[in-house]
């Protein structure tokens, strides 16, 4: 066991902090509260990611052969933590570099790679993820958006929902049904968002302007060359994508940072004296630490070359617990943060409240832990 | 950063498991509420596992590994305080106990004649060897540890070269490591029971209401484990206080659930669950309880 960073890792973190300090605009905190998918932030992310790419900080964890530096999972974790603590100035591009790029590297045709990888590596691409549908949230495999082969094309009809970034994205990583087989009947299409037959409608939300959308497909036609992998291979491919993304976003890092900020605000005005408040804050910090270490235990295994499966659900649920506690602490002791007094804390709240829902709901994580970590007999269905 | 046991630690854990294997069965017929095993205590004392912290290459980090592992046994063995304070104490036989302040009478785990009692006060840390007159055995205690009341603390005590803060840090790390092992063992025994018992034509473990709370207990147990290991490694006051808080907080919720899920079986002395849960109850109240652990964490983190 070793709970220290190596000098190299520490230097990498400091380099990132310096970069963020000098690169982010002065009013960053104020405008980051609009949410990582807001139009303002999405546009700014193009500038920011291009600057990251200039410094070789956009895809350092990609293999050297395709422009990365082959950095280990610890560097990837540090990068993700520092970006998320800052309010994720990469906007939706975090998806590109974390899993869309690596998935294309593994499963894309040479043409798909030539078309899509360079813009990702330069920080110019914006993708959206067309998975969820009105009738298919947690039960993703029930999705019904249909792609029918027609000559050399696919014709797509159906609807996606809760799609982040769809308003401004240039490409959609779209899951469609091509046969009735529940999991092996799903196929991935890489769809330019300006294809005729796509309609995007923004859904107003409490978590920020432009964050989620509905996307409708009416007789949308794409060539068969838009298919990623084989017909029916989507489930296998997503499992690979998730392997790169199992731990999800390092939310514990922003939660802890928000907690520290809240405490320092309370201290400045003399309100961090009562034992009751101090005890609450310490409890929230403990849950952040529990989530951080649970995540690091998984990263350790990844760094040693292990393939991580369902056991990362435990770290993800720990992260939900800490997000919740930090949000509650701020709501209780600094309610003005949810108005306009402390943009950083509001930014955290906007991102924190979805921790238990987006990218695999909390109860689904508990189901996975029960079956695959505790080894309990499966639920009756 | 390496949040995993290293090779030495894994080897020590495995050797410890081998030593403990003959003693794994819960002793349901003798000493039903406490379950101590003098044979195992002797084997353990001779093995040197409790002195791993004296080896600078192994340190208190490995003591944490040992303590967590031993806590999983149905037998109560005094390991935690001894293992974390061994480098300071030199040669002690008997169990090592720890009390904060000089208030008496007070319940103390593992207290017996010949036990080494560490006294942590604001002005310093000292210890003495307890004799029969200073204690009263509490054989009616529910706590599943050998318990006695400490009736008096002698004026004459030897000093320990450690500050009160450092002593509390070690005690908190030890508590968290022990709690992690207790929670892991209790969770495993509850999962085993629910995977076997059928009601309404189904294994109880297939009911989601129970599965989710067990899964949350797994998340807590895992968190307490790594926080305890970190505290044992760094001996940092914030790490130790956070670990102790998380252990005590998690013990309060999981102990309730574990008993609930075992139904009447959990109330019997036939099932070993009570060994772990009633020890956890004792740890919830140690070192000032959750409030004191949280307050110490806040002091260490934010001043
Ligand atoms: C901010 C945000 C951004 C998102 N961005 C995208 C995106 O870009 N692309 C995309 O495709 N999707 C996106 N989503 C959707 C997200 O993936 C879904 O919200 C998620 O999968 C849960 O689905 P649902 O909302 O339909 O909830 P439901 O599946 O309806 O679940 C509702 C509740 O029921 C519980 N539940 C469901 N099944 C079970 C079960 N078997 N056992 C116990 N409890 C259960 C859930 O845990 C949850 O608490 C986003 C969501 C949010 C909040």
């Amino acid at each position: 066991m070793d709970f220290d960073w190596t000098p190299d890792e520490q230097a990498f973190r400091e380099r990132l902090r310096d970069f963020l300090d000098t690169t982010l605009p002065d009013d960053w905190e104020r405008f980051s509260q609009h949410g990582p998918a807001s139009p303002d932030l999405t546009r700014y992310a193009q500038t920011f990611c291009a600057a990251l790419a200039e410094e070789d900080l956009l895809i350092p964890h990609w293999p050297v052969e395709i422009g990365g530096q082959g950095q280990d999972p610890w560097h990837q974790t540090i990068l993700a933590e520092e970006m998320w603590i800052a309010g994720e100035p990469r906007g939706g591009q975090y998806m590109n570099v974390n899993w869309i790029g690596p998935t294309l590297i593994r499963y894309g045709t040479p043409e798909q790679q030539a078309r899509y990888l360079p813009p990702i590596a330069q920080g110019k691409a914006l993708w959206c993820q067309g998975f969820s549908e009105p009738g298919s949230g947690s039960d993703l495999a029930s999705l019904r958006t249909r792609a029918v082969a027609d000559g050399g094309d696919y014709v797509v009809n159906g609807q996606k929902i809760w799609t982040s970034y769809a308003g401004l994205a240039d490409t959609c990583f779209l899951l469609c049904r091509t046969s009735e087989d529940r999991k092996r009947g799903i196929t991935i299409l890489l769809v330019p968002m300006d294809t005729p037959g796509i309609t995007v409608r923004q859904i107003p939300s409490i978590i920020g302007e432009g964050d989620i959308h509905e996307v409708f497909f009416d007789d949308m036609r794409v060539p068969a060359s838009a298919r990623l992998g084989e017909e029916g291979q989507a489930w296998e491919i997503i499992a690979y994508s998730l392997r790169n993304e199992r731990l999800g976003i390092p939310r514990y890092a922003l939660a802890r940072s928000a907690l520290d900020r809240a405490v320092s605000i309370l201290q400045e005005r003399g309100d961090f004296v009562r034992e009751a408040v101090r005890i609450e804050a310490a409890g929230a910090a403990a849950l952040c630490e529990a989530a951080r270490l649970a995540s690091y235990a998984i990263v350790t295994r990844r760094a040693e070359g292990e393939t991580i499966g369902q056991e990362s659900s435990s770290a993800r649920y720990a992260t939900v617990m800490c997000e919740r506690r930090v949000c509650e602490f701020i709501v209780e002791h600094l309610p003005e943060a949810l108005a306009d007094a402390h943009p950083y804390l509001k930014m955290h709240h906007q991102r924190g409240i979805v921790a238990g829902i987006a990218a695999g709901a909390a109860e689904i994580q508990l189901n996975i832990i029960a079956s695959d970590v505790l080894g309990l007999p499966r639920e009756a269905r | 950063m390496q949040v995993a046991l290293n090779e030495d630690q894994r080897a020590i854990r495995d050797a410890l498991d081998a030593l403990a294997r003959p003693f794994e069965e819960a002793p349901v017929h003798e000493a039903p509420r406490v379950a101590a095993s003098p044979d195992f205590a002797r084997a353990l004392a001779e093995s040197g596992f409790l002195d791993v912290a004296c080896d600078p290459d192994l340190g208190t980090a490995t003591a944490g590994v040992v303590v967590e592992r031993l806590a999983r046994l149905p037998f109560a063995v005094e390991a935690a305080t001894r293992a974390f304070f061994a480098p300071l104490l030199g040669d002690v036989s008997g169990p090592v106990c720890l009390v904060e302040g000089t208030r008496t009478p007070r319940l103390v785990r593992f207290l017996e004649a010949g036990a080494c009692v560490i006294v942590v006060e604001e002005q310093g840390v000292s210890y003495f060897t307890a004799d029969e007159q200073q204690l009263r055995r509490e054989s009616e205690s529910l706590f599943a540890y050998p318990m006695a009341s400490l009736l008096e603390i002698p004026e004459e005590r030897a000093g320990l070269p450690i500050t009160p803060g450092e002593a509390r840090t070690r005690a908190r790390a030890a508590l968290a490591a022990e709690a992690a092992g207790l929670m892991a063992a209790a969770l495993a025994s509850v999962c085993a029971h629910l995977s076997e018992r059928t009601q309404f034509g189904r294994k109880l473990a297939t009911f989601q209401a129970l599965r989710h709370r067990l899964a949350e207990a797994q998340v807590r147990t895992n968190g307490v484990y790594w926080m305890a290991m970190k505290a044992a490694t760094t001996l940092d006051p914030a790490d130790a206080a956070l670990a102790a808080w998380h252990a005590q907080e998690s013990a309060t919720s999981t102990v309730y659930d574990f008993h609930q899920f075992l139904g009447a079986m959990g109330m019997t002395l036939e099932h070993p669950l009570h060994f772990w849960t009633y020890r956890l109850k004792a740890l919830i109240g140690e070192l000032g309880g959750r409030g004191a652990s949280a307050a110490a964490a806040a002091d260490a983190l934010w001043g």
Side-chain angles (χ1 to χ4, degrees):
Chain A
M1 287 183 286
D2 179 359
F3 295 90
D4 287 327
W5 298 105
T6 64
D8 174 52
E9 289 160 350
Q10 191 54 38
F12 183 63
R13 194 185 285 281
E14 270 151 32
R15 191 172 148 222
L16 287 165
R17 286 187 180 168
D18 287 346
F19 176 85
L20 287 162
D21 263 358
T22 50
T23 311
L24 291 178
D26 293 342
D27 59 348
W28 166 251
E29 276 195 7
R30 187 150 291 283
F31 94 83
S32 68
Q33 58 176 313
H34 291 300
S38 67
D40 281 355
L41 209 152
T42 301
R43 267 182 234 107
Y44 173 67
Q46 305 264 348
T47 314
F48 180 82
C49 289
L52 266 183
E54 282 285 304
E55 296 285 320
D56 289 332
L57 290 172
L58 186 63
I59 50 166
H61 51 287
W62 285 22
V64 179
E65 306 81 85
I66 44 164
Q69 291 145 53
Q71 282 187 347
D72 69 11
W74 287 115
H75 286 79
Q76 197 177 342
T77 301
I78 293 167
L79 177 69
E81 285 183 355
E82 291 305 315
M83 292 297 146
W84 191 247
I85 289 172
E88 193 49 282
R90 296 175 301 181
Q93 292 201 39
Y94 87 91
M95 287 194 322
N96 308 356
V97 295
N98 280 7
W99 65 267
I100 293 178
T103 304
L104 294 175
I105 291 164
R106 169 81 180 257
Y107 290 98
T109 60
E111 292 72 31
Q112 287 167 339
Q113 293 179 353
R115 174 171 180 184
Y116 292 121
L117 290 179
I120 291 180
Q122 291 155 16
K124 290 184 187 147
L126 186 59
W127 287 69
C128 63
Q129 173 189 337
F131 287 17
S132 306
E133 298 183 3
S136 307
S138 301
D139 183 14
L140 182 60
S142 69
L143 65 86
R144 294 198 327 220
T145 292
R146 184 165 288 279
V148 179
D150 181 39
D153 293 342
Y154 283 104
V155 178
V156 178
N157 280 287
Q159 184 194 345
K160 295 290 168 180
I161 198 167
W162 318 129
T163 324
S164 305
Y165 318 110
L168 294 163
D170 30 60
T171 321
C172 181
F173 193 102
L174 182 66
L175 298 190
C176 300
R177 180 156 298 288
T178 45
S179 86
E180 291 316 310
D181 190 306
R182 210 173 116 82
K183 288 182 180 167
R184 271 171 298 179
I186 306 176
T187 299
I188 299 167
L189 296 176
L190 308 176
V191 175
M193 287 298 283
D194 58 3
T195 310
I198 299 181
T199 311
V200 178
R201 207 176 290 154
Q202 195 186 123
I203 304 173
S205 77
I206 49 169
I207 52 173
E209 171 207 1
D211 226 89
I212 44 182
H213 307 79
E214 294 176 285
V215 185
F216 300 90
F217 300 89
D218 296 300
D219 288 332
M220 181 203 70
R221 188 175 278 274
V222 287
S225 60
R227 191 184 67 222
L228 181 67
E230 299 301 320
E231 252 188 32
Q233 207 186 353
W235 209 257
E236 174 203 324
I237 297 178
I238 307 172
Y240 172 79
S241 309
L242 287 181
R243 215 177 292 158
N244 287 301
E245 228 351 38
R246 277 267 186 233
L247 281 172
I249 296 164
R251 293 175 175 277
Y252 55 81
L254 174 59
R256 179 58 201 273
S257 174
L259 177 66
D260 284 335
R261 183 77 70 93
V263 167
S264 81
I265 294 166
L266 290 169
Q267 277 174 327
E268 263 164 42
R269 61 180 212 206
D271 282 339
F272 198 63
V273 189
R274 274 189 305 134
E275 202 78 313
V277 184
R278 296 172 64 84
I279 286 173
E280 290 287 327
L287 292 183
C288 293
E289 185 68 355
R292 190 170 80 98
L293 292 178
S295 299
Y296 285 1
I298 303 284
V299 178
T300 299
R301 293 176 47 192
R302 271 193 69 196
E304 283 163 5
E306 273 184 66
T307 303
I308 301 305
Q310 312 288 33
E311 55 276 39
S312 57
S313 290
S314 183
R316 294 189 60 155
Y317 190 80
T319 298
V320 175
M321 287 171 74
C322 86
E323 276 286 30
R324 180 173 164 188
R325 197 73 166 236
V326 171
C327 283
E328 285 166 357
F329 179 81
I330 292 168
V331 165
E332 188 172 347
H333 299 290
L334 278 167
E336 61 274 29
L338 270 64
D340 205 21
H342 310 294
Y344 188 76
L345 300 186
K346 190 172 174 188
M347 178 274 281
H348 164 259
H349 190 86
Q350 299 292 68
R351 287 155 177 66
I353 49 167
V354 304
I357 300 168
E363 290 72 22
I364 304 303
Q365 308 303 328
L366 292 176
N367 288 346
I368 293 171
I369 296 165
S371 299
D372 297 333
V373 181
L374 292 175
L376 300 177
R378 294 196 175 260
E379 253 174 86
R381 290 204 185 233
Chain B
M1 194 69 61
Q2 191 202 27
V3 183
L5 303 192
N6 63 29
E7 223 172 285
D8 285 348
Q9 289 161 344
R10 282 199 303 265
I12 286 174
R13 179 199 61 192
D14 294 347
L16 186 60
D17 284 354
L19 180 76
R21 201 154 296 128
F23 303 92
E24 265 167 6
E25 276 304 304
V28 286
H29 297 302
E30 323 108 47
R33 277 203 213 141
V34 174
S37 165
D39 290 346
F40 181 64
R42 209 169 307 115
L44 185 66
E46 284 164 12
S47 68
F49 283 115
L50 299 182
D51 300 319
V52 286
C54 299
D55 177 342
D57 287 338
L58 299 173
T60 45
T62 309
V65 175
V66 167
V67 168
E68 192 272 345
R69 214 66 191 171
L70 288 171
R72 295 177 184 224
L73 291 172
F75 295 109
V77 276
E78 197 292 299
T81 313
R82 161 79 181 260
F84 275 82
F85 285 82
L88 302 159
L89 285 170
D91 228 11
V92 287
S93 45
V96 182
C97 315
L98 184 139
V99 296
E100 267 190 299
T102 50
R103 175 180 56 80
T104 51
R106 65 196 302 159
L107 266 183
V108 179
R109 294 187 287 140
F110 298 108
L111 180 61
E112 62 182 40
C116 166
V117 183
I118 298 173
V119 184
V120 181
E121 294 173 280
E122 278 324 312
Q123 63 267 33
V125 184
S126 55
Y127 68 101
F128 67 96
T129 304
D131 65 32
E132 280 296 346
Q133 281 71 51
Q134 290 158 341
L135 59 90
R136 181 184 62 238
R137 239 174 290 281
E138 298 291 352
S139 48
E140 292 302 310
S141 147
L142 296 176
F143 281 120
Y145 285 113
M147 282 280 193
S149 285
L150 181 61
L151 303 175
E152 106 184 50
I153 294 178
E155 295 288 328
E156 277 294 283
R157 303 193 295 272
L160 265 191
I162 184 174
T163 67
E166 288 163 346
R168 285 194 192 94
T169 292
R170 277 175 198 253
R172 289 190 180 109
L175 179 149
E178 186 164 2
L182 293 169
M183 284 172 64
L187 176 61
S189 87
V190 174
C191 287
H193 179 78
L194 296 185
S195 301
E196 285 300 314
R197 181 161 168 81
T198 299
Q199 286 293 284
F200 300 99
R202 287 163 60 179
K203 300 289 183 210
L204 283 174
T206 65
F207 285 97
Q208 196 180 61
L210 312 189
R211 295 166 74 80
H212 277 191
R213 278 150 70 184
L214 290 173
E216 191 168 326
Q218 188 281 333
V219 174
R220 289 185 168 281
T221 304
N222 185 46
V224 172
Y225 178 82
W226 287 119
M227 288 169 81
M229 293 304 123
K230 183 174 184 222
T233 304
T234 62
L235 292 182
D236 171 81
D239 286 342
L242 289 171
W245 180 84
H246 197 41
Q248 291 171 318
E249 169 80 6
S250 297
T252 53
S253 60
T254 55
V255 162
Y256 176 83
D257 275 0
F258 292 157
H259 271 285
Q260 187 64 20
F261 297 165
L262 244 69
M265 180 54 94
M267 300 292 133
T268 69
L269 297 181
E270 265 165 59
H271 193 282
L273 179 67
H274 65 101
F275 291 131
W276 300 299
T277 51
Y278 275 79
R279 284 175 206 148
L280 281 168
K281 287 186 193 214
L283 297 188
I284 290 168
E286 292 249 312
L287 301 172
R290 277 183 293 176
S293 300
D299 290 348
L301 288 172
W302 300 297

